[in-house]
Amino acid sequence: MWLPGSLERWCPTLLARCQQQCQLTYRNCLKRNTVMVDVGKWSIFTLLSPQEIASIRKACVFGTSANEALYITQNNEVFVFGLNCSNCLGTGDNQSTIVPKKLEALCGKKISSLGYGSGPHIVLSTEDGEVYAWGHNGYSQLGNGTTNQGITPIQVCTNLLVKKVIQVACGSHHSMALSSDGDVYAWGYNNCGQVGSGSTANQPTPRKVSNCLQTKMVVGIACGQTSSMAVVENGEVYGWGYNGNGQLGLGNNSNQLTPYRVTALQGVCVLQIACGSAHTLALTDEGLLYSWGANTYGQLGTGNKNNQLSPTHIMMEKERVVEIAACHSAHTSAAKTQSGQIYMWGQCRGQSVIIPHLTHFTCTDDVFACFATPAVMWRLLSVEHEDSLTVAESLKKEFDSTETSDLKFRVDGKYIHVHKAVLKIRCEHFRSMFQSYWNEDMKEVIEIDQFSYPVYRAFLEYLYTDSVDLPPEDAIGLLDLATSYCENRLKKLCQHIIKRGITVENAFSLLSAAVRYDAEDLEEFCFKFCVNHLTEVTQTAAFWQMDGPLLKEFIAKASKCGAFKN
């Protein structure tokens, strides 16, 4: 928590500098008469005033021509505007509107997940686990037992009232919901088996997808136009429905009426799945990217336009991938790497891009705003406003500033310039250090020899920015520092970095570090990774260098999990 009064008393030069930067940014914003937000990249939002844009917290653009939009304000009010095909705006009439209309039934519901079909129809879930649907219903894709169009949002009740739904997904004319206990429900159009019921009869209400998913804990779902995919807790992938282009990844092009495991991915642990119109992307826990299915526009990123019936590893020469994106209404693919680079491929404004192309975008959402056809959103977008420079952002600029600093740390012979006031406000360790001699003559330079320069610099910068930018190996050292300084939030950030950087080669080293620094969540994550990749991990040097007690504990725990069964 920032304390402006204390900051003014302790470091007036720094405070004045921050205030000047904030005022300058505010004046520039007034001159532009606009608010810089991500939704501005979708042309439909040019219909809104700057005040309306500034109120947006979440948004989604949908429709066959990207001519409809829904947005949620900071006050959790829900508005819609656009063409209103098939009553997809849920306003109670079939009239288009360029003026946003409020959906009273959804205001205050805290929408967390949203999907849309080709009709279009809309399905969403709330933080409380409720599901609402409206719009086109020719195939019972609203799940209300009828084929009457839904002109307003209605809660989907059958089989879902006793469930807490955490994710929804829509194909062209079918819908799916994932509950917090790992069950999948599907309903709507079923001409190719995309509902997973074992038949091709349309499903008028939500039905649990069972068969080989019966005993599985599903953690993620996605829909192509007429296909369905699911990822389970152990990283296995299952697909069902239309398979004419190989989008199920089963090695053939036969439709599947019930879930079928993608056995070609055996040996890898998939974290995220994404479906385009007729192609599929999968991201593993090692940051590897696989694609399969239709490839008319190069949407598989394989360097050609040949369909693939089985998963193919792509972007092998690139760095670790941390996010993938596709949408059932488009033939475009996108991915984000660990360093934040954004790649796109497939149908990009009419062009066929057959290999992943590095862009200047900052998020995968930008790819769909600028290059997808139609220019819809692939997910419910969280909006970040950039209308002014806050005090925190101004302080970020002053980190390691020789002009305003009043204290230096020397680490490995290098200096880091900081402000005593900021350190005292942000960190209990420094507050205690400075307390005894705050009013006395204090050293202008403090020597640090317990930690490396990259680690200590990252720690001090964290106190200014609340963020950390380190490779996983250095994050272990920062985790040690955070433990020593009792910085619990920093410990969580370090654990997050280590998780995203785990590989077969460093998995046991990271597991050892997690145990050493009492990071229970990280320890469990590393343990599961090691079990999922047991054969490869046990052949690494880190495995054989592990100390005896820890090795024995790992083997015992892995044995209980059935890791050594044939």
Side-chain angles (χ1 to χ4, degrees):
M1 178 178 177
W2 294 105
L3 306 174
S6 300
L7 189 58
E8 182 178 13
R9 173 164 53 88
W10 286 333
C11 202
T13 305
L14 178 60
L15 181 63
R17 183 77 168 272
C18 293
Q19 289 172 333
Q20 288 172 0
Q21 290 176 346
C22 289
Q23 291 165 359
L24 178 60
T25 303
Y26 180 69
R27 286 196 298 270
N28 289 338
C29 189
L30 289 178
K31 289 178 183 177
R32 292 193 304 264
N33 195 30
T34 185
V35 181
M36 302 298 290
V37 295
D38 290 340
V39 293
K41 293 180 179 178
W42 281 266
S43 59
I44 191 171
F45 281 101
T46 60
L47 291 169
L48 303 190
S49 69
Q51 292 75 23
E52 288 168 326
I53 292 288
S55 72
I56 296 175
R57 184 171 61 87
K58 293 182 179 181
C60 188
V61 176
F62 56 94
T64 54
S65 301
N67 280 337
E68 284 95 8
L70 174 148
Y71 67 88
I72 306 158
T73 69
Q74 305 288 344
N75 297 324
N76 270 313
E77 293 180 319
V78 181
F79 291 86
V80 290
F81 64 104
L83 198 55
N84 203 19
C85 294
S86 303
N87 301 102
C88 66
L89 295 185
T91 54
D93 58 48
N94 60 1
Q95 301 298 309
S96 63
T97 176
I98 60 174
V99 178
K101 291 185 178 180
K102 187 185 294 186
L103 294 185
E104 295 286 357
L106 296 177
C107 291
K109 291 291 185 180
K110 296 183 179 179
I111 298 170
S112 57
S113 177
L114 184 148
Y116 54 85
S118 299
H121 73 286
I122 309 298
V123 179
L124 60 80
S125 63
T126 69
E127 290 183 6
D128 292 330
E130 297 174 339
V131 177
Y132 292 83
W134 68 94
H136 190 272
N137 196 34
Y139 304 94
S140 299
Q141 57 263 51
L142 300 186
N144 58 19
T146 76
T147 54
N148 301 324
Q149 286 194 7
I151 61 176
T152 58
I154 299 295
Q155 187 173 358
V156 183
C157 298
T158 304
N159 291 328
L160 297 184
L161 278 181
V162 295
K163 293 287 184 175
K164 181 178 181 180
V165 172
I166 58 174
Q167 184 188 356
V168 294
C170 294
S172 184
H173 299 293
H174 76 288
S175 309
M176 289 207 299
L178 172 63
S179 67
S180 59
D181 55 359
D183 290 336
V184 178
Y185 293 82
W187 60 97
Y189 199 28
N190 195 34
N191 63 325
C192 301
Q194 56 265 46
V195 169
S197 60
S199 75
T200 54
N202 292 348
Q203 178 63 38
T205 56
R207 176 190 181 279
K208 184 178 177 180
V209 182
S210 52
N211 298 90
C212 57
L213 291 183
Q214 182 68 39
T215 60
K216 304 290 185 178
M217 174 77 174
V218 177
V219 294
I221 55 175
C223 294
Q225 284 278 352
T226 50
S227 60
S228 304
M229 303 295 297
V231 181
V232 302
E233 190 177 32
N234 66 358
E236 295 174 351
V237 177
Y238 291 81
W240 60 100
Y242 182 66
N243 194 34
N245 299 288
Q247 53 262 61
L248 301 186
L250 305 179
N252 57 56
N253 54 10
S254 301
N255 295 351
Q256 294 294 329
L257 305 185
T258 57
Y260 200 91
R261 184 180 173 189
V262 183
T263 55
L265 290 174
Q266 186 170 352
V268 301
C269 181
V270 172
L271 294 182
Q272 183 191 353
I273 200 87
C275 292
S277 175
H279 76 286
T280 309
L281 305 175
L283 176 64
T284 76
D285 61 350
E286 293 184 275
L288 305 179
L289 176 55
Y290 292 83
S291 64
W292 60 92
N295 200 26
T296 306
Y297 302 94
Q299 59 264 48
L300 299 186
T302 55
N304 57 55
K305 294 185 179 181
N306 302 324
N307 291 359
Q308 295 292 329
L309 303 182
S310 299
T312 301
H313 185 193
I314 65 170
M315 289 183 66
M316 289 181 288
E317 304 303 318
K318 312 298 183 186
E319 62 178 324
R320 186 188 189 101
V321 176
V322 297
E323 180 180 87
I324 54 176
C327 176
H328 76 82
S329 61
H331 305 284
T332 307
S333 303
K336 181 179 183 179
T337 66
Q338 190 170 26
S339 67
Q341 292 182 322
I342 304 298
Y343 289 83
M344 69 177 187
W345 61 100
Q347 188 180 37
C348 299
R349 287 219 169 199
Q351 297 187 59
S352 295
V353 180
I354 62 175
I355 57 173
H357 174 74
L358 177 62
T359 73
H360 298 291
F361 296 134
T362 57
C363 63
T364 54
D365 305 278
D366 293 345
V367 171
F368 289 82
C370 301
F371 283 93
T373 305
V376 293
M377 291 183 181
W378 70 274
R379 61 179 169 184
L380 183 62
L381 177 67
S382 294
V383 176
E384 294 183 3
H385 293 268
E386 299 177 343
D387 57 331
S388 64
L389 197 63
T390 65
V391 172
E393 289 167 335
S394 299
L395 285 169
K396 179 180 179 179
K397 290 179 175 293
E398 295 305 310
F399 171 68
D400 204 15
S401 168
T402 57
E403 187 177 344
T404 61
S405 67
D406 56 2
L407 179 65
K408 291 186 289 187
F409 285 91
R410 185 161 58 198
V411 189
D412 297 338
K414 301 177 183 177
Y415 289 100
I416 309 170
H417 301 81
V418 294
H419 308 81
K420 288 181 282 189
V422 174
L423 269 55
K424 186 170 183 179
I425 292 169
R426 291 281 284 148
C427 178
E428 179 63 35
H429 171 80
F430 290 119
R431 191 154 43 246
S432 301
M433 177 191 294
F434 298 154
Q435 195 68 41
S436 59
Y437 48 81
W438 183 259
N439 295 319
E440 301 175 8
D441 291 334
M442 185 177 174
K443 296 179 180 178
E444 291 186 358
V445 179
I446 297 179
E447 298 278 353
I448 299 294
D449 55 15
Q450 307 100 305
F451 305 101
S452 69
Y453 174 80
V455 165
Y456 212 77
R457 180 183 172 84
F459 167 59
L460 294 174
E461 189 170 10
Y462 159 78
L463 297 180
Y464 283 74
T465 65
D466 271 333
S467 62
V468 175
D469 182 17
L470 276 180
E473 291 73 19
D474 285 334
I476 294 176
L478 189 56
L479 178 62
D480 182 19
L481 186 153
T483 303
S484 300
Y485 286 14
C486 300
E487 290 286 336
N488 292 328
R489 184 178 179 277
L490 181 57
K491 283 182 65 175
K492 291 180 181 179
L493 281 176
C494 292
Q495 292 179 48
H496 180 69
I497 292 171
I498 294 169
K499 285 180 181 180
R500 295 182 75 165
I502 194 170
T503 64
V504 167
E505 286 72 23
N506 66 17
F508 265 101
S509 298
L510 298 182
L511 176 62
S512 299
V515 172
R516 186 162 63 250
Y517 301 127
D518 196 28
E520 294 181 2
D521 181 59
L522 177 61
E523 179 184 347
E524 184 63 23
F525 178 87
C526 293
F527 172 78
K528 287 183 177 180
F529 184 94
C530 291
V531 170
N532 288 335
H533 304 273
L534 190 61
T535 301
E536 296 89 346
V537 167
T538 53
Q539 295 173 359
T540 63
F543 177 81
W544 296 106
Q545 292 170 1
M546 183 182 293
D547 62 83
L550 184 58
L551 183 59
K552 289 181 180 178
E553 183 180 344
F554 171 80
I555 293 174
K557 187 175 179 181
S559 180
K560 289 181 181 179
C561 295
F564 301 108
K565 291 182 180 179
N566 292 328

